[in-house]
Amino acid sequence: MASKILIIGACGQIGSELTFALRNIYGSENVIASDISYGNLDIVNSGIFEIVDAVNYASLKTCIEKFNIDTVYLMAALLSAKGEKFPMRAWDLNMTSLFNVLNLARDKFIKKVFWPSSIAVFGPTTPVDYTPQYTIMEPSTVYGITKQVGERWCEYYNNKYGVDVRSLRYPGIISWKTMPGGGTTDYAVEIYHKAITNGHYECFLKEDTELPMMYMDDAVKATVDIMQVKPEDVKIRSSYNLAAISFAPKEIAKSIKKHIPEFEISYKPDYRQEIASSWPKNINDSYARQDWKWKHAFSLEDITDEMLFQLRKKFAGVLNKSN
Ligand code: VAH
């Protein structure tokens, strides 16, 4: 029987693209998209969509039973920058939603769970170069704390109750379909929008702030891949390090200037610089490559090509009017 999938946070940056990918793989009739509001009309109008409040156990359980869901992708969270502005809201959303889903799995209402962690689990005392899977983790952001604690609970529920929960430590993710939403790595999305619309970008990080990054298509592939792996091959039940590329703002600006020579960047670091400075420069994801053959596809040049091509198409109407 086909899997019945629920995506929580389907209107968000990763959730929206994961929804389209899972519909293509498993059939639209088997993928229920949900969110707290009708935040993305492309998602709401292109398949089954439900309003679900992930911090409300009853709301979640009602949806699970209504559609006979067996697999949940929990993509709702408050990200790093927003989490520093609303710490208790971040703790409540990120943790209560996870406990609700893990308890539904413990109590056999669902069979399989995907939960995203992040390189934000690492902190200022973590080795910054080629950061290993097992190392010092003293996250200095609320978001990072929720991801570190969340990983511990995922592993506990797997060991104690046999819950089949799988997780990836996503790097910064770059995509063109949705606007950035409260992340520190979102400068790497905003810069492409600004390069297209006004030719200049004021970056909120220092020019040499190197961070692990990944194109959305790679992130979606890794998510689909780890959920299709046989349970016995998922050797890490906290969360897998996941890597693709790493770059600093000056490098992405250089990549854009190859296409738009007149593009200019300036730097005005803000509170997000301290967050970024607490994270690794690049990640060792050898366990993911060894356990379930992970391999990324997109280089920085590939990302720049694709982002500029897609955003030029997306903004064509607007750009023609203003030119
Ligand atoms: C953020 N995009 O910036 C997220 C991500 C590694 C960073 O978790 O908060």
Side-chain angles (χ1 to χ4, degrees), residues 13 79-81 117-120 143 170-173 182-186 212 279:
Q13 184 198 17
L79 297 180
S80 58
S117 183
S118 160
I119 58 140
Y143 174 70
Y170 287 135
I173 294 176
T184 300
T185 58
D186 289 338
W279 291 346

Side-chain angles (χ1 to χ4, degrees), residues 109-125:
F109 290 104
I110 53 178
K111 294 198 182 100
K112 203 157 64 166
V113 176
F114 177 79
W115 176 75
S117 183
S118 160
I119 58 140
V121 290
F122 301 117
T125 54

Side-chain angles (χ1 to χ4, degrees), residues 8 53-58 60 74 76-77 88-104 115 146 149-150 153 157:
I8 301 169
D53 177 358
V55 299
N56 178 320
Y57 181 83
L60 190 47
L74 173 51
M88 286 302 107
R89 200 192 303 174
W91 177 262
D92 183 39
L93 170 58
N94 297 6
M95 298 314 302
T96 306
S97 60
L98 176 60
F99 279 122
N100 286 341
V101 172
L102 289 176
N103 287 332
L104 282 161
W115 176 75
T146 68
V149 170
W153 280 112
Y157 269 71

Side-chain angles (χ1 to χ4, degrees), residues 165-166 226 229-237 240 291:
V165 53
R166 295 123 188 259
I226 192 166
V229 169
K230 293 197 299 295
E232 56 271 23
D233 292 338
V234 183
K235 312 277 190 220
I236 294 175
R237 291 289 183 165
Y240 275 93
D291 292 357

